[in-house]
Amino acid sequence: MNPYFLEYSLVAIAGLIFGAALERGRMCFVLATNNMIMARDSKILEGILWAFGISVLAFGIIESLGIVPIQAAVTGVFPSGWYDLVGALLFGFGIGLCGACMSGLIFRASSGFTQNWMQLFGILVGTIFFAFLIFPLTNFLYWILHTIPWLSIKPGFSDYIPHEWFGNAVWGPFVVALIFGGFFLVLGLYLTKRRFAKISKERGENYKEPIITWNMLKFKEPYSPRLGGLLFAVVAIIVLLASYFTVHKVTYMGVTTPYGSFDTYILAPFINLYTTVGHYKASFLPKISSNWFQIVPVAIPMTLFVITTFAGATATAILGGEFKWRVPKRKIMFLQNFIGGIFTGVGARIALGCNIGTLWSGFLMFSWAGALFLPTLVLGMYLALKFQQAIW
Amino acid sequence: MAAAKKKNHNWCGITLLALYGLFTIYASFLLSSLNKGKVIGKLSDETLTGIKEAFILWGVIMIIGAILLLIREYVLKSGQEEVKDTERGVAPHY
């Protein structure tokens, strides 16, 4: 069997599961943060922490046992540095304006939330804006790879924490996973226990939440945070193993670069994206880059993954009786989502990924990308919240 | 007085699912022509064939899924329940 066919097909199955986990588990970083800040409700945040914790630990075990050797795992590690901080700030502000992160966008748009379709449109426009203006004008690729070494870490072993800390020791990934994954799991467990204790006190009885029930499996009830988190981890593991055992090339989770592919598929019949239209000459820059579309693959497994994720989320929304076209009461929200989408698209491109591709995958690939992305992401979301409170 | 029964928009969702499928099939046919114009990282014939076949397969699966949901909705009528209020706590502004 053609290994590429097998890889794409397996990754597509993972996409369906991911869509179901997103839609049923309401897994959205903005929703998690807003609920935590405004309502002190930790339920969705718990799901995200469980997802991070379980998946990071699983990746550590997989790499330490040599199921996916360290040498193969590092081939997928991309550089991290100052651009994670800058990109995450813009990205955080954008998703804060829209009220949905990249994962939240998928499940909301798939359930019929119209303003999130506008956010998606904004992201596609933002990606084009980045590809033809920011990318060539700032000579983006060059700055990332060469000119600010003290603020940039090169891909591969240079940005692989187990190698930095423990050299070539095979147990290195497991120990690093235990530190990062353990932290997420302990925090998730603490928040879950605290929420149970709070509900128990309110109801005057011992409250416990099952991880999985028949009603969850029949799409009658939303998934528990722990089930949502577990499915996230399963999806990341399927993507990693499917890519390694089929075409021997490691793939980590990511959803924003596939949005660039959507641009390609939508615009290709009308304009040639690989043209040098975006090839500007700026004499003060050391090297001229072409437009961004010229350096990204035409199709990556994650493109099909994102489409099946949309399909999975729409199917579970229908099966759960929750699909409905929802139009915001204030029509200005369409404009806000479009502008927020542009910020989201540009920010994600500057940071080389979004809350999935750089934040989550940053931890999964044991690089510094996730840790660099997180603080300014939260700052961006906080600024967007304050901005909205000021103007509305 | 009983509350008015909310409208079920499942047919929109089913159409959307079928559209994902059509988009996937459309994307598969564009791959070859897009690959010709690529500056960096051209795909080999084996890669292109594998990717195209997977895209077509999944496009067809999504369309079949939409047809099955259509049968569930209009033949078995098991999907025609009241739509649930999911706005609360999920998204502001609605």
Side-chain angles (χ1 to χ4, degrees), chain A residues 139-150:
Chain A
N139 207 11
F140 189 71
L141 205 57
Y142 186 89
W143 290 116
I144 279 187
L145 294 172
H146 299 98
T147 48
I148 317 181
W150 62 93

Side-chain angles (χ1 to χ4, degrees), chain A residues 2 5 8 12 31 108 113 115 220 265 268-269 274 293-294 296 298 307 314 320-323 325-326 329 333, chain B residues 9 12-13 20 24 26 30-31 34 37-40 46-47 50-51 54 58 83-84 86-87 89-90 93-94:
Chain A
N2 186 314
F5 173 78
Y8 276 66
L31 190 57
R108 286 203 185 86
F113 287 78
Q115 72 183 41
K220 300 286 178 202
Y265 297 131
Y274 308 127
F293 289 106
Q294 291 185 331
V296 288
V298 174
I307 301 173
T314 301
E322 295 185 7
F323 188 92
W325 282 121
R326 298 162 168 97
K329 285 172 191 153
M333 294 315 298
Chain B
H9 292 180
C12 291
Y20 299 148
T24 312
Y26 154 81
L30 261 185
L31 277 176
L34 289 173
K38 204 81 191 77
V39 176
I40 302 167
E46 186 202 17
T47 313
I51 296 172
W58 277 93
V83 69
K84 289 175 193 164
T86 49
E87 289 90 344
V90 173
H93 320 306
Y94 285 92

Side-chain angles (χ1 to χ4, degrees), chain A residues 369-380:
Chain A
L372 286 169
F373 193 88
L374 188 58
T376 47
L377 171 77
V378 176
L379 177 64

Side-chain angles (χ1 to χ4, degrees), chain B residues 47-89:
Chain B
T47 313
L48 202 62
T49 309
I51 296 172
K52 273 178 78 171
E53 285 173 358
F55 267 68
I56 292 170
L57 172 75
W58 277 93
V60 171
I61 289 174
M62 282 179 231
I63 292 170
I64 292 171
I67 293 167
L68 290 176
L69 284 171
L70 209 63
I71 293 169
R72 172 184 175 268
E73 187 72 20
Y74 295 107
V75 180
L76 303 175
K77 297 189 188 295
S78 55
Q80 294 184 352
E81 297 162 1
E82 276 187 45
V83 69
K84 289 175 193 164
D85 271 326
T86 49
E87 289 90 344
R88 197 176 304 143

